[in-house]
Amino acid sequence: GPAGELLDHVAAGDAIAFTGSAETGDAVRFHPRVRATGVRVNVEADSLNAAILGPDAAAGDATFGFFVREVVREMTVKAGQKCTAIRRVLVPAALADAVGSAIGEALAGVTTGPLISPAQGAAVRAALRQLSGETTVVYAGTPGSSAESFVGPTLLRALGDAPHVHEVEIFGPVATIVPYRDVDEAFALARRGGGSLVASVFSADAEFLAAAARRLAPAHGRVLLVDASIVDAQTGHGLVLPMLIQ
């Protein structure tokens, strides 16, 4: 929410930490008082977190089911209003239709709560319009209310290169399926987020999971690797402080 005149009163020795949109992050960094006093600023902004389904998965198998369940949870918990929520759903191109259908079926039984304000609802709808030229709608849920702060769960699918999918974080119950052709493209697409808080990888192939850890770690704060042996014990993609679980 708005900070009022708070930044007008910062002084040398203060520190500012901010998590949210890149636009607001820049407003904090370049605030005249912040620049004049040299206040230390730490910003985590627009995290385009990805979940990756391994190329070994098949429609309807256990790994496929774990993956779909996690995406649905991250889209709907807190109406998708988490800095760690899944925004990009990276899947083998041959499974894109099956993944879209499975997520859509699961979302059909979910009603999400409101966004934090009508202004945030308007921001989500504006961002959806921004992506409309490079995505298609796979599933669009009915809002839980006609109030402007409600947005139904929405699953998109990227068409072609879709650059804005990797640049615009929609802070609500929205995710985009991004098909990949091979392993190298999967990791390259994940890195197009420009550095994210978390990436999760679902696979039964130990070699693929090990490669994911190596390839994704430099661009992500946390990499979660999930196979059947830990699926019921893993922290979940979007847990903000996984180290607090014992």
Side-chain angles (χ1 to χ4, degrees), residues 19 44-52 71 74 80-90 165-171 174-176 178 189-200 216 219-223 237-240:
T19 297
E44 293 179 353
D46 284 4
S47 187
L48 277 299
N49 310 295
I52 305 175
V71 172
E74 289 301 311
Q81 297 170 104
K82 293 191 303 179
C83 57
T84 53
I86 294 170
R87 308 300 180 191
R88 298 177 299 149
V89 182
L90 277 52
V165 168
H166 307 284
E167 298 169 0
V168 177
E169 181 186 18
I170 303 181
F171 207 72
V174 180
T176 303
V178 183
L189 288 168
R191 292 194 299 269
R192 283 184 67 181
S196 300
L197 293 174
V198 57
S200 58
L216 299 179
H220 296 83
R222 176 163 58 95
V223 178
H237 169 101
L239 190 66
V240 177

mmCIF file of all heavy atoms in Angstrom, residues 19 44-52 71 74 80-90 165-171 174-176 178 189-200 216 219-223 237-240:
data_model
loop_
_atom_site.group_PDB
_atom_site.id
_atom_site.type_symbol
_atom_site.label_atom_id
_atom_site.label_comp_id
_atom_site.label_asym_id
_atom_site.label_seq_id
_atom_site.Cartn_x
_atom_site.Cartn_y
_atom_site.Cartn_z
ATOM 1 N N THR A 19 9.506 -5.129 -1.410
ATOM 2 C CA THR A 19 9.124 -6.216 -2.309
ATOM 3 C C THR A 19 7.834 -5.816 -3.007
ATOM 4 O O THR A 19 6.869 -5.440 -2.353
ATOM 5 C CB THR A 19 8.892 -7.523 -1.532
ATOM 6 O OG1 THR A 19 10.111 -7.926 -0.908
ATOM 7 C CG2 THR A 19 8.446 -8.640 -2.469
ATOM 8 N N GLU A 44 13.280 -6.300 -4.114
ATOM 9 C CA GLU A 44 12.937 -7.538 -4.812
ATOM 10 C C GLU A 44 11.677 -7.246 -5.601
ATOM 11 O O GLU A 44 10.615 -7.008 -5.024
ATOM 12 C CB GLU A 44 12.682 -8.675 -3.822
ATOM 13 C CG GLU A 44 13.917 -9.113 -3.054
ATOM 14 C CD GLU A 44 13.624 -10.228 -2.068
ATOM 15 O OE1 GLU A 44 12.437 -10.569 -1.893
ATOM 16 O OE2 GLU A 44 14.579 -10.755 -1.461
ATOM 17 N N ALA A 45 11.785 -7.243 -6.941
ATOM 18 C CA ALA A 45 10.657 -6.760 -7.738
ATOM 19 C C ALA A 45 10.367 -7.675 -8.918
ATOM 20 O O ALA A 45 11.279 -8.233 -9.530
ATOM 21 C CB ALA A 45 10.945 -5.352 -8.256
ATOM 22 N N ASP A 46 9.073 -7.786 -9.250
ATOM 23 C CA ASP A 46 8.611 -8.501 -10.434
ATOM 24 C C ASP A 46 9.308 -9.847 -10.610
ATOM 25 O O ASP A 46 10.061 -10.059 -11.542
ATOM 26 C CB ASP A 46 8.813 -7.635 -11.684
ATOM 27 C CG ASP A 46 7.772 -6.539 -11.785
ATOM 28 O OD1 ASP A 46 6.972 -6.412 -10.858
ATOM 29 O OD2 ASP A 46 7.763 -5.817 -12.796
ATOM 30 N N SER A 47 9.044 -10.757 -9.691
ATOM 31 C CA SER A 47 9.660 -12.070 -9.760
ATOM 32 C C SER A 47 8.814 -12.998 -10.629
ATOM 33 O O SER A 47 7.726 -13.415 -10.234
ATOM 34 C CB SER A 47 9.804 -12.656 -8.348
ATOM 35 O OG SER A 47 10.549 -13.852 -8.386
ATOM 36 N N LEU A 48 9.311 -13.312 -11.810
ATOM 37 C CA LEU A 48 8.576 -14.164 -12.761
ATOM 38 C C LEU A 48 8.936 -15.622 -12.505
ATOM 39 O O LEU A 48 9.577 -16.301 -13.319
ATOM 40 C CB LEU A 48 8.924 -13.762 -14.199
ATOM 41 C CG LEU A 48 8.167 -12.586 -14.821
ATOM 42 C CD1 LEU A 48 6.684 -12.856 -14.904
ATOM 43 C CD2 LEU A 48 8.415 -11.302 -14.092
ATOM 44 N N ASN A 49 8.539 -16.116 -11.328
ATOM 45 C CA ASN A 49 8.893 -17.472 -10.906
ATOM 46 C C ASN A 49 8.341 -18.520 -11.869
ATOM 47 O O ASN A 49 7.228 -18.382 -12.384
ATOM 48 C CB ASN A 49 8.332 -17.734 -9.506
ATOM 49 C CG ASN A 49 8.694 -16.624 -8.538
ATOM 50 O OD1 ASN A 49 9.848 -16.405 -8.226
ATOM 51 N ND2 ASN A 49 7.677 -15.904 -8.074
ATOM 52 N N ALA A 50 9.130 -19.584 -12.061
ATOM 53 C CA ALA A 50 8.742 -20.627 -13.013
ATOM 54 C C ALA A 50 8.630 -21.982 -12.329
ATOM 55 O O ALA A 50 9.365 -22.280 -11.379
ATOM 56 C CB ALA A 50 9.761 -20.715 -14.152
ATOM 57 N N ALA A 51 7.713 -22.798 -12.833
ATOM 58 C CA ALA A 51 7.641 -24.216 -12.488
ATOM 59 C C ALA A 51 7.877 -24.986 -13.786
ATOM 60 O O ALA A 51 7.290 -24.664 -14.825
ATOM 61 C CB ALA A 51 6.288 -24.576 -11.896
ATOM 62 N N ILE A 52 8.746 -25.983 -13.725
ATOM 63 C CA ILE A 52 9.135 -26.732 -14.924
ATOM 64 C C ILE A 52 8.727 -28.189 -14.779
ATOM 65 O O ILE A 52 9.086 -28.857 -13.796
ATOM 66 C CB ILE A 52 10.650 -26.645 -15.176
ATOM 67 C CG1 ILE A 52 11.107 -25.186 -15.257
ATOM 68 C CG2 ILE A 52 11.034 -27.399 -16.440
ATOM 69 C CD1 ILE A 52 12.619 -25.032 -15.373
ATOM 70 N N VAL A 71 0.858 -26.141 -9.326
ATOM 71 C CA VAL A 71 0.510 -24.926 -10.077
ATOM 72 C C VAL A 71 -0.833 -24.371 -9.608
ATOM 73 O O VAL A 71 -0.977 -23.169 -9.378
ATOM 74 C CB VAL A 71 0.480 -25.211 -11.595
ATOM 75 C CG1 VAL A 71 -0.067 -23.998 -12.348
ATOM 76 C CG2 VAL A 71 1.878 -25.554 -12.108
ATOM 77 N N GLU A 74 -0.488 -22.681 -6.226
ATOM 78 C CA GLU A 74 0.208 -21.395 -6.268
ATOM 79 C C GLU A 74 -0.610 -20.307 -6.970
ATOM 80 O O GLU A 74 -0.445 -19.121 -6.680
ATOM 81 C CB GLU A 74 1.562 -21.554 -6.947
ATOM 82 C CG GLU A 74 2.564 -22.329 -6.120
ATOM 83 C CD GLU A 74 2.821 -21.658 -4.778
ATOM 84 O OE1 GLU A 74 3.066 -20.441 -4.751
ATOM 85 O OE2 GLU A 74 2.761 -22.348 -3.750
ATOM 86 N N GLY A 80 -3.187 -15.679 -5.468
ATOM 87 C CA GLY A 80 -1.968 -15.454 -6.246
ATOM 88 C C GLY A 80 -1.161 -14.252 -5.822
ATOM 89 O O GLY A 80 -0.218 -13.864 -6.517
ATOM 90 N N GLN A 81 -1.475 -13.667 -4.681
ATOM 91 C CA GLN A 81 -0.777 -12.453 -4.227
ATOM 92 C C GLN A 81 0.408 -12.801 -3.335
ATOM 93 O O GLN A 81 0.439 -12.500 -2.146
ATOM 94 C CB GLN A 81 -1.754 -11.546 -3.491
ATOM 95 C CG GLN A 81 -2.891 -11.050 -4.368
ATOM 96 C CD GLN A 81 -3.959 -10.361 -3.561
ATOM 97 O OE1 GLN A 81 -4.066 -9.137 -3.550
ATOM 98 N NE2 GLN A 81 -4.784 -11.135 -2.870
ATOM 99 N N LYS A 82 1.389 -13.479 -3.923
ATOM 100 C CA LYS A 82 2.622 -13.822 -3.222
ATOM 101 C C LYS A 82 3.788 -13.542 -4.160
ATOM 102 O O LYS A 82 3.723 -13.847 -5.358
ATOM 103 C CB LYS A 82 2.658 -15.307 -2.843
ATOM 104 C CG LYS A 82 1.635 -15.724 -1.813
ATOM 105 C CD LYS A 82 1.937 -17.129 -1.306
ATOM 106 C CE LYS A 82 1.975 -18.138 -2.428
ATOM 107 N NZ LYS A 82 2.298 -19.492 -1.952
ATOM 108 N N CYS A 83 4.873 -13.012 -3.615
ATOM 109 C CA CYS A 83 6.037 -12.728 -4.458
ATOM 110 C C CYS A 83 6.666 -14.007 -4.991
ATOM 111 O O CYS A 83 7.404 -13.972 -5.976
ATOM 112 C CB CYS A 83 7.060 -11.899 -3.693
ATOM 113 S SG CYS A 83 7.624 -12.676 -2.158
ATOM 114 N N THR A 84 6.371 -15.147 -4.362
ATOM 115 C CA THR A 84 6.947 -16.417 -4.788
ATOM 116 C C THR A 84 6.005 -17.258 -5.647
ATOM 117 O O THR A 84 6.355 -18.378 -6.037
ATOM 118 C CB THR A 84 7.354 -17.252 -3.560
ATOM 119 O OG1 THR A 84 6.227 -17.351 -2.680
ATOM 120 C CG2 THR A 84 8.522 -16.622 -2.832
ATOM 121 N N ALA A 85 4.818 -16.783 -5.946
ATOM 122 C CA ALA A 85 3.833 -17.582 -6.683
ATOM 123 C C ALA A 85 4.334 -17.937 -8.083
ATOM 124 O O ALA A 85 5.146 -17.214 -8.681
ATOM 125 C CB ALA A 85 2.515 -16.827 -6.782
ATOM 126 N N ILE A 86 3.837 -19.051 -8.611
ATOM 127 C CA ILE A 86 4.197 -19.480 -9.968
ATOM 128 C C ILE A 86 3.535 -18.562 -10.981
ATOM 129 O O ILE A 86 2.316 -18.411 -10.988
ATOM 130 C CB ILE A 86 3.766 -20.937 -10.218
ATOM 131 C CG1 ILE A 86 4.569 -21.891 -9.326
ATOM 132 C CG2 ILE A 86 3.943 -21.324 -11.691
ATOM 133 C CD1 ILE A 86 4.044 -23.318 -9.328
ATOM 134 N N ARG A 87 4.325 -17.942 -11.840
ATOM 135 C CA ARG A 87 3.804 -17.082 -12.902
ATOM 136 C C ARG A 87 3.955 -17.732 -14.280
ATOM 137 O O ARG A 87 3.146 -17.495 -15.166
ATOM 138 C CB ARG A 87 4.541 -15.732 -12.905
ATOM 139 C CG ARG A 87 4.571 -15.023 -11.552
ATOM 140 C CD ARG A 87 3.187 -14.714 -11.040
ATOM 141 N NE ARG A 87 3.233 -14.032 -9.743
ATOM 142 C CZ ARG A 87 2.184 -13.822 -8.970
ATOM 143 N NH1 ARG A 87 0.993 -14.273 -9.330
ATOM 144 N NH2 ARG A 87 2.306 -13.198 -7.817
ATOM 145 N N ARG A 88 5.018 -18.537 -14.450
ATOM 146 C CA ARG A 88 5.270 -19.173 -15.753
ATOM 147 C C ARG A 88 5.312 -20.685 -15.563
ATOM 148 O O ARG A 88 6.010 -21.191 -14.697
ATOM 149 C CB ARG A 88 6.578 -18.651 -16.342
ATOM 150 C CG ARG A 88 6.564 -17.141 -16.603
ATOM 151 C CD ARG A 88 7.901 -16.645 -17.119
ATOM 152 N NE ARG A 88 8.950 -16.893 -16.136
ATOM 153 C CZ ARG A 88 10.222 -17.141 -16.435
ATOM 154 N NH1 ARG A 88 10.610 -17.188 -17.695
ATOM 155 N NH2 ARG A 88 11.107 -17.343 -15.478
ATOM 156 N N VAL A 89 4.560 -21.392 -16.392
ATOM 157 C CA VAL A 89 4.401 -22.843 -16.292
ATOM 158 C C VAL A 89 5.082 -23.453 -17.509
ATOM 159 O O VAL A 89 4.516 -23.497 -18.609
ATOM 160 C CB VAL A 89 2.905 -23.213 -16.240
ATOM 161 C CG1 VAL A 89 2.724 -24.713 -16.082
ATOM 162 C CG2 VAL A 89 2.204 -22.457 -15.108
ATOM 163 N N LEU A 90 6.311 -23.909 -17.341
ATOM 164 C CA LEU A 90 7.115 -24.396 -18.463
ATOM 165 C C LEU A 90 6.921 -25.901 -18.626
ATOM 166 O O LEU A 90 7.209 -26.675 -17.703
ATOM 167 C CB LEU A 90 8.590 -24.072 -18.228
ATOM 168 C CG LEU A 90 9.084 -22.668 -18.590
ATOM 169 C CD1 LEU A 90 8.239 -21.575 -17.960
ATOM 170 C CD2 LEU A 90 10.549 -22.489 -18.199
ATOM 171 N N VAL A 165 5.505 -12.054 -21.495
ATOM 172 C CA VAL A 165 5.254 -13.115 -20.516
ATOM 173 C C VAL A 165 6.436 -13.242 -19.559
ATOM 174 O O VAL A 165 6.272 -13.605 -18.393
ATOM 175 C CB VAL A 165 4.985 -14.450 -21.241
ATOM 176 C CG1 VAL A 165 5.015 -15.630 -20.268
ATOM 177 C CG2 VAL A 165 3.640 -14.384 -21.959
ATOM 178 N N HIS A 166 7.640 -12.928 -20.052
ATOM 179 C CA HIS A 166 8.860 -13.044 -19.250
ATOM 180 C C HIS A 166 9.268 -11.713 -18.626
ATOM 181 O O HIS A 166 10.333 -11.629 -18.003
ATOM 182 C CB HIS A 166 9.990 -13.572 -20.128
ATOM 183 C CG HIS A 166 9.642 -14.837 -20.852
ATOM 184 N ND1 HIS A 166 9.598 -16.071 -20.229
ATOM 185 C CD2 HIS A 166 9.276 -15.054 -22.152
ATOM 186 C CE1 HIS A 166 9.249 -16.995 -21.108
ATOM 187 N NE2 HIS A 166 9.046 -16.410 -22.281
ATOM 188 N N GLU A 167 8.422 -10.697 -18.775
ATOM 189 C CA GLU A 167 8.764 -9.369 -18.259
ATOM 190 C C GLU A 167 7.700 -8.792 -17.329
ATOM 191 O O GLU A 167 8.016 -7.981 -16.459
ATOM 192 C CB GLU A 167 8.959 -8.396 -19.430
ATOM 193 C CG GLU A 167 10.096 -8.780 -20.369
ATOM 194 C CD GLU A 167 10.089 -7.944 -21.642
ATOM 195 O OE1 GLU A 167 9.188 -7.072 -21.786
ATOM 196 O OE2 GLU A 167 10.975 -8.170 -22.489
ATOM 197 N N VAL A 168 6.452 -9.183 -17.503
ATOM 198 C CA VAL A 168 5.340 -8.588 -16.766
ATOM 199 C C VAL A 168 4.814 -9.575 -15.729
ATOM 200 O O VAL A 168 4.321 -10.653 -16.075
ATOM 201 C CB VAL A 168 4.193 -8.178 -17.719
ATOM 202 C CG1 VAL A 168 3.013 -7.633 -16.928
ATOM 203 C CG2 VAL A 168 4.688 -7.155 -18.734
ATOM 204 N N GLU A 169 4.940 -9.225 -14.451
ATOM 205 C CA GLU A 169 4.369 -10.059 -13.399
ATOM 206 C C GLU A 169 2.942 -9.597 -13.114
ATOM 207 O O GLU A 169 2.719 -8.438 -12.770
ATOM 208 C CB GLU A 169 5.172 -9.982 -12.104
ATOM 209 C CG GLU A 169 4.578 -10.888 -11.031
ATOM 210 C CD GLU A 169 5.248 -10.740 -9.669
ATOM 211 O OE1 GLU A 169 5.932 -9.725 -9.444
ATOM 212 O OE2 GLU A 169 5.069 -11.635 -8.838
ATOM 213 N N ILE A 170 2.003 -10.507 -13.274
ATOM 214 C CA ILE A 170 0.606 -10.210 -12.929
ATOM 215 C C ILE A 170 0.391 -10.693 -11.506
ATOM 216 O O ILE A 170 0.369 -11.894 -11.238
ATOM 217 C CB ILE A 170 -0.366 -10.887 -13.903
ATOM 218 C CG1 ILE A 170 -0.071 -10.443 -15.346
ATOM 219 C CG2 ILE A 170 -1.804 -10.558 -13.520
ATOM 220 C CD1 ILE A 170 -1.003 -11.034 -16.376
ATOM 221 N N PHE A 171 0.213 -9.760 -10.578
ATOM 222 C CA PHE A 171 0.167 -10.083 -9.161
ATOM 223 C C PHE A 171 -1.262 -10.455 -8.755
ATOM 224 O O PHE A 171 -1.988 -9.676 -8.128
ATOM 225 C CB PHE A 171 0.674 -8.896 -8.342
ATOM 226 C CG PHE A 171 1.271 -9.307 -7.019
ATOM 227 C CD1 PHE A 171 2.494 -9.946 -6.968
ATOM 228 C CD2 PHE A 171 0.604 -9.048 -5.844
ATOM 229 C CE1 PHE A 171 3.052 -10.326 -5.745
ATOM 230 C CE2 PHE A 171 1.141 -9.423 -4.617
ATOM 231 C CZ PHE A 171 2.370 -10.067 -4.571
ATOM 232 N N VAL A 174 -3.111 -15.610 -11.728
ATOM 233 C CA VAL A 174 -2.861 -15.743 -13.160
ATOM 234 C C VAL A 174 -1.519 -16.434 -13.383
ATOM 235 O O VAL A 174 -0.524 -16.111 -12.718
ATOM 236 C CB VAL A 174 -2.829 -14.359 -13.854
ATOM 237 C CG1 VAL A 174 -2.576 -14.518 -15.363
ATOM 238 C CG2 VAL A 174 -4.121 -13.601 -13.592
ATOM 239 N N ALA A 175 -1.474 -17.391 -14.308
ATOM 240 C CA ALA A 175 -0.228 -18.031 -14.715
ATOM 241 C C ALA A 175 -0.296 -18.293 -16.217
ATOM 242 O O ALA A 175 -1.387 -18.351 -16.798
ATOM 243 C CB ALA A 175 0.003 -19.328 -13.951
ATOM 244 N N THR A 176 0.882 -18.448 -16.822
ATOM 245 C CA THR A 176 0.957 -18.651 -18.271
ATOM 246 C C THR A 176 1.733 -19.917 -18.592
ATOM 247 O O THR A 176 2.870 -20.097 -18.133
ATOM 248 C CB THR A 176 1.647 -17.455 -18.954
ATOM 249 O OG1 THR A 176 0.939 -16.248 -18.648
ATOM 250 C CG2 THR A 176 1.667 -17.651 -20.471
ATOM 251 N N VAL A 178 4.051 -21.983 -20.875
ATOM 252 C CA VAL A 178 5.056 -21.690 -21.895
ATOM 253 C C VAL A 178 5.630 -23.023 -22.375
ATOM 254 O O VAL A 178 6.378 -23.679 -21.644
ATOM 255 C CB VAL A 178 6.178 -20.796 -21.340
ATOM 256 C CG1 VAL A 178 7.172 -20.448 -22.451
ATOM 257 C CG2 VAL A 178 5.614 -19.521 -20.709
ATOM 258 N N LEU A 189 14.350 -20.484 -21.052
ATOM 259 C CA LEU A 189 13.098 -19.790 -20.782
ATOM 260 C C LEU A 189 12.989 -19.408 -19.310
ATOM 261 O O LEU A 189 12.550 -18.305 -18.969
ATOM 262 C CB LEU A 189 11.911 -20.671 -21.172
ATOM 263 C CG LEU A 189 11.669 -20.849 -22.673
ATOM 264 C CD1 LEU A 189 10.660 -21.968 -22.920
ATOM 265 C CD2 LEU A 189 11.178 -19.550 -23.299
ATOM 266 N N ALA A 190 13.389 -20.309 -18.429
ATOM 267 C CA ALA A 190 13.347 -19.996 -17.002
ATOM 268 C C ALA A 190 14.220 -18.783 -16.701
ATOM 269 O O ALA A 190 13.826 -17.894 -15.933
ATOM 270 C CB ALA A 190 13.793 -21.201 -16.183
ATOM 271 N N ARG A 191 15.383 -18.707 -17.320
ATOM 272 C CA ARG A 191 16.303 -17.592 -17.063
ATOM 273 C C ARG A 191 15.816 -16.284 -17.676
ATOM 274 O O ARG A 191 16.264 -15.209 -17.266
ATOM 275 C CB ARG A 191 17.703 -17.935 -17.583
ATOM 276 C CG ARG A 191 18.399 -19.048 -16.802
ATOM 277 C CD ARG A 191 19.884 -19.100 -17.136
ATOM 278 N NE ARG A 191 20.105 -19.377 -18.544
ATOM 279 C CZ ARG A 191 20.245 -20.587 -19.061
ATOM 280 N NH1 ARG A 191 20.157 -21.656 -18.277
ATOM 281 N NH2 ARG A 191 20.450 -20.762 -20.355
ATOM 282 N N ARG A 192 14.897 -16.347 -18.619
ATOM 283 C CA ARG A 192 14.378 -15.115 -19.221
ATOM 284 C C ARG A 192 13.588 -14.271 -18.224
ATOM 285 O O ARG A 192 13.305 -13.101 -18.491
ATOM 286 C CB ARG A 192 13.502 -15.431 -20.441
ATOM 287 C CG ARG A 192 14.305 -15.801 -21.671
ATOM 288 C CD ARG A 192 13.403 -16.009 -22.871
ATOM 289 N NE ARG A 192 12.754 -14.780 -23.301
ATOM 290 C CZ ARG A 192 11.892 -14.711 -24.317
ATOM 291 N NH1 ARG A 192 11.585 -15.811 -24.992
ATOM 292 N NH2 ARG A 192 11.344 -13.556 -24.658
ATOM 293 N N GLY A 193 13.275 -14.845 -17.077
ATOM 294 C CA GLY A 193 12.623 -14.064 -16.039
ATOM 295 C C GLY A 193 13.517 -12.990 -15.453
ATOM 296 O O GLY A 193 13.054 -12.148 -14.683
ATOM 297 N N GLY A 194 14.795 -13.013 -15.806
ATOM 298 C CA GLY A 194 15.711 -11.964 -15.369
ATOM 299 C C GLY A 194 16.169 -12.107 -13.930
ATOM 300 O O GLY A 194 16.635 -11.151 -13.322
ATOM 301 N N GLY A 195 16.049 -13.314 -13.389
ATOM 302 C CA GLY A 195 16.391 -13.530 -11.990
ATOM 303 C C GLY A 195 15.133 -13.552 -11.155
ATOM 304 O O GLY A 195 14.441 -12.545 -11.034
ATOM 305 N N SER A 196 14.805 -14.712 -10.583
ATOM 306 C CA SER A 196 13.550 -14.870 -9.849
ATOM 307 C C SER A 196 13.823 -15.407 -8.450
ATOM 308 O O SER A 196 14.893 -15.935 -8.160
ATOM 309 C CB SER A 196 12.615 -15.822 -10.594
ATOM 310 O OG SER A 196 12.314 -15.320 -11.881
ATOM 311 N N LEU A 197 12.819 -15.280 -7.592
ATOM 312 C CA LEU A 197 12.975 -15.760 -6.226
ATOM 313 C C LEU A 197 13.069 -17.277 -6.167
ATOM 314 O O LEU A 197 13.834 -17.837 -5.397
ATOM 315 C CB LEU A 197 11.803 -15.276 -5.374
ATOM 316 C CG LEU A 197 11.739 -13.768 -5.130
ATOM 317 C CD1 LEU A 197 10.447 -13.402 -4.408
ATOM 318 C CD2 LEU A 197 12.945 -13.305 -4.317
ATOM 319 N N VAL A 198 12.262 -17.968 -7.003
ATOM 320 C CA VAL A 198 12.237 -19.425 -6.907
ATOM 321 C C VAL A 198 11.843 -20.044 -8.244
ATOM 322 O O VAL A 198 11.046 -19.486 -8.992
ATOM 323 C CB VAL A 198 11.262 -19.882 -5.789
ATOM 324 C CG1 VAL A 198 9.875 -19.333 -6.034
ATOM 325 C CG2 VAL A 198 11.206 -21.389 -5.660
ATOM 326 N N ALA A 199 12.438 -21.202 -8.521
ATOM 327 C CA ALA A 199 12.006 -22.060 -9.627
ATOM 328 C C ALA A 199 11.809 -23.452 -9.054
ATOM 329 O O ALA A 199 12.580 -23.892 -8.200
ATOM 330 C CB ALA A 199 13.041 -22.097 -10.742
ATOM 331 N N SER A 200 10.776 -24.140 -9.487
ATOM 332 C CA SER A 200 10.560 -25.519 -9.049
ATOM 333 C C SER A 200 10.575 -26.434 -10.266
ATOM 334 O O SER A 200 10.123 -26.053 -11.352
ATOM 335 C CB SER A 200 9.245 -25.661 -8.278
ATOM 336 O OG SER A 200 8.143 -25.243 -9.069
ATOM 337 N N LEU A 216 19.940 -23.573 -13.227
ATOM 338 C CA LEU A 216 19.006 -22.559 -12.743
ATOM 339 C C LEU A 216 19.505 -21.789 -11.529
ATOM 340 O O LEU A 216 19.063 -20.665 -11.279
ATOM 341 C CB LEU A 216 17.658 -23.212 -12.405
ATOM 342 C CG LEU A 216 16.928 -23.909 -13.549
ATOM 343 C CD1 LEU A 216 15.635 -24.523 -13.043
ATOM 344 C CD2 LEU A 216 16.644 -22.942 -14.693
ATOM 345 N N ALA A 219 20.424 -17.928 -11.448
ATOM 346 C CA ALA A 219 19.406 -16.914 -11.725
ATOM 347 C C ALA A 219 18.210 -16.998 -10.779
ATOM 348 O O ALA A 219 17.205 -16.335 -11.012
ATOM 349 C CB ALA A 219 18.915 -17.050 -13.178
ATOM 350 N N HIS A 220 18.325 -17.797 -9.719
ATOM 351 C CA HIS A 220 17.184 -17.980 -8.816
ATOM 352 C C HIS A 220 17.651 -18.013 -7.367
ATOM 353 O O HIS A 220 18.703 -18.568 -7.051
ATOM 354 C CB HIS A 220 16.431 -19.276 -9.147
ATOM 355 C CG HIS A 220 15.802 -19.266 -10.497
ATOM 356 N ND1 HIS A 220 16.503 -19.578 -11.646
ATOM 357 C CD2 HIS A 220 14.546 -18.939 -10.898
ATOM 358 C CE1 HIS A 220 15.692 -19.465 -12.698
ATOM 359 N NE2 HIS A 220 14.507 -19.078 -12.271
ATOM 360 N N GLY A 221 16.836 -17.414 -6.490
ATOM 361 C CA GLY A 221 17.178 -17.439 -5.078
ATOM 362 C C GLY A 221 17.040 -18.822 -4.483
ATOM 363 O O GLY A 221 17.743 -19.179 -3.543
ATOM 364 N N ARG A 222 16.109 -19.610 -5.002
ATOM 365 C CA ARG A 222 15.893 -20.966 -4.498
ATOM 366 C C ARG A 222 15.455 -21.839 -5.658
ATOM 367 O O ARG A 222 14.662 -21.418 -6.504
ATOM 368 C CB ARG A 222 14.823 -20.960 -3.397
ATOM 369 C CG ARG A 222 14.441 -22.321 -2.870
ATOM 370 C CD ARG A 222 13.721 -22.207 -1.522
ATOM 371 N NE ARG A 222 12.517 -21.378 -1.618
ATOM 372 C CZ ARG A 222 11.282 -21.858 -1.819
ATOM 373 N NH1 ARG A 222 11.100 -23.149 -1.983
ATOM 374 N NH2 ARG A 222 10.247 -21.045 -1.865
ATOM 375 N N VAL A 223 15.979 -23.063 -5.706
ATOM 376 C CA VAL A 223 15.564 -24.054 -6.706
ATOM 377 C C VAL A 223 15.024 -25.268 -5.957
ATOM 378 O O VAL A 223 15.730 -25.877 -5.149
ATOM 379 C CB VAL A 223 16.736 -24.465 -7.624
ATOM 380 C CG1 VAL A 223 16.274 -25.540 -8.606
ATOM 381 C CG2 VAL A 223 17.281 -23.257 -8.372
ATOM 382 N N HIS A 237 6.365 -24.971 -3.628
ATOM 383 C CA HIS A 237 7.059 -23.965 -4.434
ATOM 384 C C HIS A 237 7.078 -22.596 -3.772
ATOM 385 O O HIS A 237 8.097 -21.928 -3.708
ATOM 386 C CB HIS A 237 6.369 -23.858 -5.806
ATOM 387 C CG HIS A 237 6.809 -22.695 -6.616
ATOM 388 N ND1 HIS A 237 7.721 -22.798 -7.644
ATOM 389 C CD2 HIS A 237 6.475 -21.367 -6.564
ATOM 390 C CE1 HIS A 237 7.925 -21.605 -8.166
ATOM 391 N NE2 HIS A 237 7.184 -20.727 -7.526
ATOM 392 N N GLY A 238 5.927 -22.150 -3.269
ATOM 393 C CA GLY A 238 5.786 -20.747 -2.896
ATOM 394 C C GLY A 238 6.060 -20.407 -1.453
ATOM 395 O O GLY A 238 5.854 -19.255 -1.049
ATOM 396 N N LEU A 239 6.530 -21.345 -0.642
ATOM 397 C CA LEU A 239 6.799 -21.024 0.759
ATOM 398 C C LEU A 239 7.917 -19.992 0.841
ATOM 399 O O LEU A 239 9.021 -20.206 0.336
ATOM 400 C CB LEU A 239 7.186 -22.282 1.532
ATOM 401 C CG LEU A 239 7.247 -22.120 3.039
ATOM 402 C CD1 LEU A 239 5.857 -21.850 3.604
ATOM 403 C CD2 LEU A 239 7.829 -23.351 3.695
ATOM 404 N N VAL A 240 7.645 -18.882 1.478
ATOM 405 C CA VAL A 240 8.603 -17.773 1.476
ATOM 406 C C VAL A 240 9.816 -18.074 2.336
ATOM 407 O O VAL A 240 10.946 -17.713 1.999
ATOM 408 C CB VAL A 240 7.906 -16.479 1.961
ATOM 409 C CG1 VAL A 240 8.905 -15.333 2.043
ATOM 410 C CG2 VAL A 240 6.751 -16.119 1.010
#
